[in-house]
Amino acid sequence: MADRYLVEPNVEFIKDVIGLGGDTLKKCFQCATCSVVCPIAPENKPFPRKEMIAASWGLKDKLVGSMDIWLCHNCGDCSTMCPRGAAPGDVLGAIRSYAISEYARPKFIGKAVNDPKKLPLLLGLPVVVFLVLGLITGLLDFTPGGDEIVHSHFFSSWLVDMIFIPLTAWVVVVFGIGLKRFVNDIHENAVLEGKTDKKKLEIGGFMRGLFTVLPTILKHNKFSECIENKDRNTAHLMVFYSFIGLFIVTNIFFVVLYAFQTHGPYSQLNPVKWLANVSGIALVIGSALMIKNRIGKTDQVSSYKDWYLLWLVFGLGASGMLTEMTRLAGIAGLSYALYFIHLIFVFNLFMFVPFSKLAHLVYRTVAMAYAEYGNRGFIMK
Ligand code: SF4
Ligand code: SF4
């Protein structure tokens, strides 16, 4: 049965997609080469041709609530083969950016994250929070003294947790609210477009889908199916696993602090410290490679949102490693300053993760789980 839509073009949506990197949108003449060459598009209603026409018509609801925009891994194969020089990979990337801003509330934060003029404000916010809370509680000491450099003597671990535990709760709530709408939307859209055989959304089946797709995500198999941007795979994997490593380390040290009252710094012989160091190095190298790849890809559009995330991740890794190195070298003042800067980056990454491009980690995972559950034909391997 043909899809039936009341065509209500949203001109603002078209302008926003163009502004987010989809500026080649209007070049498309619907030849469908892109859908044929896409290595991961399902056979039933493949992408990205249909997304190109929907975007040029301004069909915002059809696109923002579509699982298919998330199944695309932005490999660029379609953009290379497009006879019109349109870049469907970039258009889908722009629609994903738009969708993140739509699902993450409050919307004004998403707008600030996408606006380069607001960057000083975003970086200044944690500084104000740290100083105000630190000085009120007395947990921030600018003259820590002592022979040994201990970062928690300068910026107490209690202060870190006082700030970052509520921040974690914030991230969970913002994602939770956004994902509830997102899952309902992609299901509704899939039923309407005949991309699923499930009429009703069942949480149990969806969770089974999630467990099935996890190995595919952990191995980045879908990235390896791409040709054009294959080199992106290694860098992406390094950053991905470094985040997992640092997440594990943070949780172990959190438990050690509260269960055994053991504060850092921890011995370099400690295996958890090894994991921290390896993850930190992988984060710096992986993000540096991603920046290098982006700079080298002159045919691929890089929006402010891309650069914001890449430099933030690199800054996070580099400031963390430099904090550690200056501590070991005994350069106290510099090490404390770098630790403060490191915490600014951590705060930014946490506070704004549901609004930044990094949110793709969550939305793509959910879309892939739904694709598996709904029998989209997006084969996991
Ligand atoms: S290959 Fe290019 S022109 Fe052809 S449908 Fe895809 S985007 Fe449009
Ligand atoms: S960028 Fe790659 S994954 Fe995305 S639609 Fe194009 S070919 Fe397919």
Side-chain angles (χ1 to χ4, degrees), residues 32-42 46-49 71-73 75 77-78 81 92 225-226 378:
T33 306
C34 50
S35 293
V36 175
V37 299
C38 175
I40 57 180
F47 51 81
R49 184 204 62 84
L71 300 184
C72 161
H73 282 51
C75 68
D77 290 7
C78 56
M81 299 301 285
L92 261 59
E225 288 174 37
C226 302
F378 187 72

Side-chain angles (χ1 to χ4, degrees), residues 20-219:
L20 286 166
D23 54 339
T24 57
L25 180 60
K26 297 285 182 187
K27 288 187 179 177
C28 174
F29 64 176
Q30 289 292 302
C31 69
T33 306
C34 50
S35 293
V36 175
V37 299
C38 175
I40 57 180
E43 283 181 18
N44 171 29
K45 300 182 189 294
F47 51 81
R49 184 204 62 84
K50 61 182 168 33
E51 283 70 22
M52 289 299 278
I53 194 162
S56 63
W57 286 353
L59 301 183
K60 177 183 147 186
D61 295 341
K62 182 177 164 69
L63 288 168
V64 167
S66 162
M67 86 175 108
D68 286 5
I69 61 166
W70 296 100
L71 300 184
C72 161
H73 282 51
N74 205 6
C75 68
D77 290 7
C78 56
S79 303
T80 308
M81 299 301 285
C82 173
R84 287 278 293 159
D90 291 336
V91 173
L92 261 59
I95 299 168
R96 284 192 293 273
S97 293
Y98 187 95
I100 289 171
S101 316
E102 279 291 296
Y103 285 110
R105 301 286 168 89
K107 274 192 172 187
F108 74 88
I109 299 184
K111 280 201 179 113
V113 173
N114 287 330
D115 183 355
K117 288 195 213 99
K118 297 286 187 322
L119 184 60
L121 199 68
L122 302 191
L123 293 174
L125 178 68
V127 177
V128 174
V129 172
F130 295 169
L131 291 178
V132 171
L133 273 181
L135 295 176
I136 288 174
T137 57
L139 293 170
L140 186 63
D141 183 356
F142 286 102
T143 53
D147 294 336
E148 200 188 354
I149 300 173
V150 182
H151 293 115
S152 61
H153 289 174
F154 157 62
F155 199 116
S156 164
S157 305
W158 309 123
L159 180 58
V160 171
D161 293 338
M162 192 184 292
I163 295 166
F164 285 96
I165 291 175
L167 214 52
T168 307
W170 152 266
V171 171
V172 171
V173 170
V174 175
F175 265 132
I177 294 170
L179 284 178
K180 190 167 179 285
R181 290 172 49 227
F182 176 67
V183 173
N184 285 330
D185 285 354
I186 59 174
H187 176 62
E188 205 176 288
N189 181 292
V191 172
L192 192 66
E193 296 192 359
K195 291 189 286 195
T196 179
D197 54 7
K198 303 279 192 298
K199 295 291 168 231
K200 205 165 154 252
L201 182 60
E202 287 163 355
I203 295 301
F206 173 79
M207 293 308 289
R208 277 193 295 280
L210 182 61
F211 285 115
T212 308
V213 301
L214 279 182
T216 304
I217 293 170
L218 290 174
K219 289 188 274 176

